[in-house]
Amino acid sequence: METRERKELLLEQRQVLIFFVLLGMTLAGSESRRYSVAEEMESGFFVANLLKDLGLEVEELIVRGPRVVSKGKKLSLQFDRQTGDLFLNEKLDREELCGSTEPCVLPFQVLLENPLQFFQAELQIRDINDHFPVFLDKEIFLKISESTTPGTTFLIERAQDLDVGSNSLQNYTISPNFYFHLTIQDSTDGILPQLVLDKALDREEQPELRLTLTALDGGTPPRSGTALVLIEILDINDNAPEFTKVLYEVRVPENSPIGSHVATVSARDLDIGVYGQISYAFFQASEDIRKTFQINAKSGELLLTQKLDFESVQTYTINIQATDGGGLSASSVVLIQVIDLNDNPPELTMSTLINQIPENLQETIIAIFSVSDSDSGDNGRIVCSIPDDLPFFLKPSVENFYTLVTSTALDRETRSEYNVTITVSDMGTPRLKTEHSIIILVSDVNDNAPAFSQKSYTLLVHENNQPALHIGSVNATDRDSGTNAQITYSLLPTQDSHLPLASLVSINADNGQLFALRALDFEALQAFEFRVGATDQGSPALSSQALVRVVVLDDNDNSPFVLYPMQNASASCTELVPRAAEQGYLVTKVVAVDGDSGQNAWLSYQLLKATEPGLFGVWAHNGEVRTTRLLSERDAARHRLVVLVKDNGEPPLSASVTLHVLLVDGFSQPYLSLPEVAPERAQEDLLTVYLVIALASVSSLFLFSVLVFVAVRLCRRRRAVPLGVCSMPEGHFPGHLVDVSGMGTLSHSYQYEVCLMGGSGTSEFKVPKPIIPNFLAQGVETESDENPSFRNNFEFS
């Protein structure tokens, strides 16, 4: 394997060697053709057609397989095998390919592969003016002494131009001036510029020259390049120093800090170097000047070494000498004027001061003071002022004296203390001021009466309170202070002579607390009013009043009181109910009142006990006793009902009343004698008999018709009369309950109860007043209390 590779390598080397041998033979036997093209032509530019020079036709050219080969220089050409045209493959730069060599010729070969043949050719690149002359140094520096004689020449560095031939550098010019002209010198490297001095130089007149050197080539159009020639003229000591000013006038404020700048003197010397270096110093200066000022020898700056005092020295005159390095000198004068500064603030001296004044006084003098300022002029002029929002003003007097006076009466209650700042300022720049503060206290005068927090007070207290109970407070304030604000409370006399105020309430004189002296009774006194007074301790004392209304709140301390039936009657009342009464028949009505008010007086009724439960019922809201069902023969004749009357208070109170109900069949049936009441009825007053007879005669016609109707019904019932009912002799009208309307309700009926005593020959008839369901009278007495033997109850709705 390795042997085979070696053989192939040797074969390739032989072929390459044969190629170069044939190439050399071909080149040696052929003549080179030259073609020309300008530089900077674009890629694809046509150079020449090689068919004629190669001696080939178009058909042969393709068969021969031509190629363009160049060596050495980077020549990039493109050969068209179809037409035989030679083109540039890229833009050519002559200066890059050949530099300064002229002419710029680049060889190339045309290789024909079949059969192998070489065609030798050259491409000449023509130069164009595409470069400007360039100076390597943009600024050329020359140093020439002002003592140099005219006619002296000075060589200048030449410019560079990459173009060749006529496009290369051809000429130099210099900008117009009074001192130099330009000459051209030929050399092997080209032309060289030279400056020739035409006129003597004066550094003091013109320390330097700035000339423009221009290099021109021969192209069309020509191109140029420039350089700046800087000529520095060297000095000789031919000028003495000169001050910019002969007299310097300076104004320096007094109290300037040490080391502060006063002035800077400046001298100039037309010379330079050592001859132009200037030093400054005092010339014939006094010791006071040397202590007060210091001058910098190099800069000429004048500094302050000691504070100035305008009152001691107002001006300073200083001589200053300037000397150059060659010994030449000059002098100048500095005149320093010391400026008076406003460095002293005004002073205020208080002569009289009153720190406390009573209120309500007009134009009271508070203070007397004087002002001064040690400065002069505007710095010593003084303006004195106080804030505008204070009730004071300043009144000027003689020789800078002022008085501080109140502009109006002061009110301590509005403001009790004033901080008055007196500002004294001068008219200087900057303005200085001095401030002096005065604290003024306004003493109190009793000019404000006590004021109650309310015009009227309403106090609520429950009845049956404990004695000495705190029921409320009144409060008054006084805008004054001290004893003028100390308030004493008192009860004022009342105009109501029936109101024992002294026994009802008392007041604490110090804090206005009110106390109830005894237990209050709502039923006796529901509300009362009185006035309290508040008096301060000032002189004279001032006072005010306020109205106090005490409202007594009701407590449930009264039990219900039964008005009907009356419990304190000498005989119990028996209600008669016919057995034929319908369900809901009104038996009677319990009437009660309560001394309390509000919900404490809301009454409710209930049946507490009954002989026969379920037969009678009591309406809870109006106390009406009614039958709850139809009566029967098996029901007992006598019934005892206990009705409970209860209020709505907390806790609730109650009372009970006992009712006697007698069931009867009709008016014709005589009553059985009641053993407990028969003996007493025999002793009734005869006055009742007369009254009954008079009433019976008036209503006899009406009663007759009623009795006839009752008699008819009684004839139908022949039953034995129960025991305990009053009896009457034959021929007399039996007493019983008559329901005129037959409806059994008190609201639309008249009820009569007649009781005749048998065998007595006398009769009593009682007509009580009508009972109104909603009456609330505290005591109702009727004629029924006078004679219980006969009773007639009337009830109207």
Side-chain angles (χ1 to χ4, degrees):
M1 185 70 178
E2 293 180 356
T3 304
R4 183 178 179 181
E5 291 179 353
R6 289 179 180 178
K7 289 181 179 181
E8 292 178 354
L9 180 60
L10 290 175
L11 181 60
E12 291 178 356
Q13 291 177 352
R14 289 177 181 177
Q15 292 176 352
V16 172
L17 180 60
I18 293 171
F19 171 76
F20 281 105
V21 170
L22 293 176
L23 178 62
M25 292 173 63
T26 306
L27 292 176
S30 62
E31 183 182 356
S32 297
R33 297 290 184 128
R34 177 174 292 185
Y35 303 96
S36 177
V37 65
E39 66 173 332
E40 301 297 332
M41 301 308 267
E42 296 295 333
S43 175
F45 180 78
F46 174 76
V47 177
N49 187 282
L50 302 182
L51 289 178
K52 182 178 180 181
D53 294 335
L54 293 176
L56 299 175
E57 297 295 335
V58 176
E59 295 80 2
E60 297 176 331
L61 183 64
I62 298 174
V63 176
R64 296 292 300 271
R67 287 190 304 163
V68 176
V69 179
S70 63
K71 62 179 180 178
K73 300 294 182 179
K74 295 181 179 180
L75 181 60
S76 180
L77 298 174
Q78 182 180 358
F79 184 73
D80 188 353
R81 295 183 179 184
Q82 302 293 331
T83 62
D85 292 335
L86 186 65
F87 300 96
L88 291 179
N89 199 29
E90 63 181 7
K91 185 186 292 186
L92 300 179
D93 186 0
R94 193 204 68 82
E95 287 75 23
E96 181 181 354
L97 295 174
C98 299
S100 60
T101 302
E102 183 66 14
C104 180
V105 178
L106 300 177
F108 68 95
Q109 296 80 33
V110 178
L111 175 62
L112 301 177
E113 296 179 352
N114 187 22
L116 181 62
Q117 184 181 0
F118 286 93
F119 176 77
Q120 186 70 24
E122 294 177 348
L123 179 63
Q124 181 181 356
I125 302 176
R126 300 190 306 273
D127 181 48
I128 64 174
N129 192 23
D130 58 344
H131 290 87
F132 289 89
V134 177
F135 289 93
L136 299 181
D137 294 328
K138 296 298 182 181
E139 294 182 350
I140 301 172
F141 294 93
L142 295 177
K143 292 185 179 182
I144 303 174
S145 174
E146 63 177 336
S147 60
T148 302
T149 58
T152 305
T153 61
F154 302 93
L155 292 176
I156 302 175
E157 183 180 356
R158 66 185 180 90
Q160 304 290 332
D161 193 335
L162 297 179
D163 295 325
V164 294
S166 61
N167 294 328
S168 63
L169 187 62
Q170 300 295 324
N171 192 17
Y172 290 94
T173 61
I174 194 74
S175 60
N177 64 90
F178 296 103
Y179 296 98
F180 295 94
H181 72 275
L182 188 66
T183 61
I184 305 299
Q185 182 180 356
D186 293 330
S187 66
T188 57
D189 295 332
I191 59 176
L192 299 176
Q194 289 182 342
L195 282 178
V196 179
L197 181 62
D198 295 332
K199 180 182 177 182
L201 301 175
D202 186 359
R203 197 207 64 80
E204 290 74 27
E205 181 180 349
Q206 192 167 358
E208 69 175 9
L209 294 174
R210 302 172 68 89
L211 305 177
T212 301
L213 180 62
T214 304
L216 299 172
D217 62 16
T220 302
R223 295 179 181 269
S224 63
T226 60
L228 181 62
V229 181
L230 297 177
I231 302 174
E232 181 182 359
I233 302 175
L234 301 179
D235 183 46
I236 61 175
N237 193 23
D238 58 347
N239 293 280
E242 292 182 1
F243 279 96
T244 56
K245 294 181 180 180
V246 178
L247 176 64
Y248 291 86
E249 292 183 353
V250 181
R251 295 167 59 87
V252 181
E254 64 173 335
N255 295 336
S256 297
I258 296 176
S260 60
H261 173 78
V262 177
T264 299
V265 295
S266 178
R268 63 186 182 92
D269 196 318
L270 299 179
D271 299 323
I272 61 173
V274 178
Y275 302 125
Q277 295 179 359
I278 299 174
S279 62
Y280 302 92
F282 291 129
F283 180 70
Q284 296 180 355
S286 64
E287 182 179 1
D288 184 32
I289 292 176
R290 295 180 183 274
K291 289 182 179 180
T292 307
F293 302 96
Q294 177 185 357
I295 190 169
N296 189 308
K298 292 184 178 181
S299 64
E301 183 180 12
L302 196 62
L303 302 177
L304 188 63
T305 58
Q306 181 176 294
K307 286 190 175 182
L308 303 178
D309 187 5
F310 175 81
E311 288 72 23
S312 299
V313 180
Q314 287 77 34
T315 60
Y316 292 90
T317 302
I318 305 175
N319 293 318
I320 297 178
Q321 187 178 53
T323 305
D324 63 13
L328 300 179
S329 64
S331 63
S332 179
V333 177
V334 179
L335 180 62
I336 300 175
Q337 294 183 354
V338 181
I339 301 174
D340 182 26
L341 294 181
N342 188 23
D343 55 350
N344 295 296
E347 296 180 357
L348 186 147
T349 303
M350 189 65 64
S351 300
T352 303
L353 176 62
I354 301 175
N355 294 102
Q356 186 171 359
I357 60 172
E359 60 179 333
N360 302 331
L361 295 182
Q362 299 284 346
E363 290 197 10
T364 304
I365 296 178
I366 306 300
I368 301 175
F369 59 92
S370 62
V371 293
S372 61
D373 195 321
S374 58
D375 294 324
S376 60
D378 289 341
N379 298 333
R381 293 175 57 190
I382 298 173
V383 176
C384 190
S385 63
I386 60 173
D388 296 334
D389 58 346
L390 297 177
F392 304 96
F393 70 95
L394 291 175
K395 181 183 294 185
S397 183
V398 295
E399 296 181 359
N400 292 332
F401 272 86
Y402 290 85
T403 57
L404 180 63
V405 184
T406 59
S407 59
T408 184
L410 304 181
D411 185 7
R412 190 206 64 82
E413 290 72 33
T414 303
R415 188 170 179 179
S416 61
E417 180 179 316
Y418 293 89
N419 187 351
V420 181
T421 300
I422 303 174
T423 303
V424 184
S425 60
D426 57 26
M427 304 301 292
T429 303
R431 300 182 66 173
L432 300 180
K433 65 179 180 179
T434 299
E435 293 183 349
H436 186 84
S437 296
I438 300 174
I439 303 298
I440 301 175
L441 301 178
V442 182
S443 61
D444 185 47
V445 174
N446 192 26
D447 56 347
N448 290 280
F452 281 94
S453 59
Q454 300 175 214
K455 293 183 178 180
S456 62
Y457 296 83
T458 300
L459 306 180
L460 305 179
V461 58
H462 286 272
E463 65 174 331
N464 304 322
N465 59 283
Q466 296 292 332
L469 175 67
H470 175 236
I471 60 175
S473 301
V474 294
N475 181 45
T477 57
D478 197 315
R479 297 181 61 193
D480 296 322
S481 64
T483 57
N484 295 331
Q486 294 179 3
I487 299 175
T488 301
Y489 299 91
S490 62
L491 297 177
L492 300 180
T494 178
Q495 297 180 355
D496 188 359
S497 59
H498 300 288
L499 180 64
L501 183 61
S503 63
L504 292 177
V505 294
S506 67
I507 189 169
N508 189 314
D510 296 328
N511 54 26
Q513 292 183 350
L514 293 168
F515 299 90
L517 296 180
R518 61 181 176 85
L520 301 177
D521 186 4
F522 173 82
E523 289 72 27
L525 182 64
Q526 296 183 358
F528 59 95
E529 295 179 351
F530 59 92
R531 290 188 173 272
V532 295
T535 306
D536 60 25
Q537 301 299 318
S539 179
L542 301 177
S543 63
S544 61
Q545 300 178 8
L547 178 66
V548 179
R549 175 178 174 83
V550 178
V551 178
V552 182
L553 301 179
D554 181 44
D555 284 344
N556 192 24
D557 57 344
N558 290 279
S559 299
F561 179 76
V562 179
L563 297 178
Y564 181 82
M566 299 186 63
Q567 299 301 299
N568 57 355
S570 57
S572 62
C573 180
T574 300
E575 303 293 340
L576 300 180
V577 178
R579 288 184 178 273
E582 300 291 334
Q583 179 181 358
Y585 177 85
L586 178 62
V587 177
T588 186
K589 183 174 183 179
V590 178
V591 179
V593 294
D594 195 313
D596 296 319
S597 65
Q599 67 178 6
N600 295 330
W602 297 351
L603 301 180
S604 61
Y605 304 85
Q606 68 181 76
L607 184 60
L608 188 62
K609 293 181 181 181
T611 303
E612 187 174 347
L615 181 58
F616 299 97
V618 178
W619 285 30
H621 300 294
N622 56 16
E624 292 181 352
V625 180
R626 294 178 180 269
T627 59
T628 60
R629 60 178 174 82
L630 293 175
L631 302 179
S632 65
E633 298 296 336
R634 292 189 301 270
D635 293 328
R638 291 181 186 160
H639 293 269
R640 183 174 177 270
L641 306 178
V642 178
V643 178
L644 180 67
V645 183
K646 183 172 63 175
D647 60 23
N648 197 36
E650 185 63 34
L653 301 178
S654 63
S656 62
V657 60
T658 302
L659 300 176
H660 296 277
V661 179
L662 183 62
L663 302 182
V664 297
D665 291 329
F667 285 105
S668 61
Q669 182 178 8
Y671 291 154
L672 296 178
S673 298
L674 296 177
E676 64 276 14
V677 298
E680 296 177 357
R681 290 181 179 176
Q683 301 176 1
E684 292 293 336
D685 192 1
L686 295 178
L687 181 61
T688 304
V689 176
Y690 301 146
L691 179 60
V692 172
I693 294 174
L695 182 60
S697 61
V698 173
S699 57
S700 59
L701 183 60
F702 173 74
L703 288 177
F704 178 77
S705 60
V706 173
L707 292 177
V708 170
F709 174 74
V710 174
V712 172
R713 293 189 61 184
L714 289 178
C715 291
R716 296 177 183 177
R717 294 185 181 183
R718 301 279 186 181
R719 295 184 181 181
V721 179
L723 297 176
V725 181
C726 299
S727 62
M728 59 180 296
E730 295 181 2
H732 291 274
F733 187 78
H736 62 90
L737 181 65
V738 179
D739 190 352
V740 176
S741 65
M743 298 294 294
T745 59
L746 294 176
S747 59
H748 300 285
S749 66
Y750 302 95
Q751 292 184 0
Y752 301 90
E753 185 175 307
V754 181
C755 183
L756 301 178
M757 295 184 64
S760 60
T762 63
S763 64
E764 294 179 353
F765 189 81
K766 182 178 71 173
V767 181
K769 296 180 180 179
I771 300 175
I772 303 174
N774 60 347
F775 77 96
L776 299 176
Q778 294 185 357
V780 178
E781 294 183 359
T782 63
E783 296 182 3
S784 62
D785 296 332
E786 299 176 359
N787 191 354
S789 299
F790 299 95
R791 215 168 28 159
N792 186 10
N793 294 336
F794 300 91
E795 181 173 349
F796 304 90
S797 62

